[in-house]
Amino acid sequence: MSETFKQGAKPALFFSTSAFAVSFLTTLWVVRHAKALQRLASDHDLSGPQKFHSRPVPRVGGLGILIGVIAGGAMLGWREPNLAPWLAMFLVSALPA
């Protein structure tokens, strides 16, 4: 076993930090490329009683969080294979309807 994972709290800290880093970098990439992704990821329906934006607004705000959770779950599933079915059920239940 690696020296990094010999103590109990270190794996949880490693997975959490890695998931945060992946989420942060994905969100940074989405914000940086928002102009290029606007045609694909914006809400172009500006009419409606609760619509108050005057221009199309990107709707991919949770993409970084989703990818961070998937990355953290994949690392944890790889490290602890007996948790993989539970992690898969968690990720499926978190998907939008």
Side-chain angles (χ1 to χ4, degrees):
M1 183 183 282
S2 155
E3 207 43 54
T4 306
F5 296 113
K6 282 193 176 177
Q7 296 177 4
K10 286 192 179 184
L13 184 62
F14 173 74
F15 296 133
S16 300
T17 305
S18 299
F20 173 77
V22 169
S23 178
F24 178 77
L25 292 173
T26 302
T27 303
L28 188 65
W29 183 86
V30 168
V31 168
R32 186 164 179 87
H33 294 89
K35 198 75 157 168
L37 298 172
Q38 185 175 11
R39 188 174 54 91
L40 297 173
S42 291
D43 182 13
H44 295 285
D45 180 24
L46 300 175
S47 62
Q50 295 180 341
K51 305 281 183 160
F52 57 89
H53 295 289
S54 60
R55 58 187 173 91
V57 177
R59 298 182 53 108
V60 292
L63 185 64
I65 295 170
L66 176 67
I67 292 177
V69 168
I70 290 172
M75 287 186 290
L76 185 59
W78 175 69
R79 178 78 175 124
E80 300 288 336
N82 59 337
L83 293 177
W86 292 100
L87 292 168
M89 285 192 292
F90 170 73
L91 291 175
V92 168
S93 70
L95 291 174

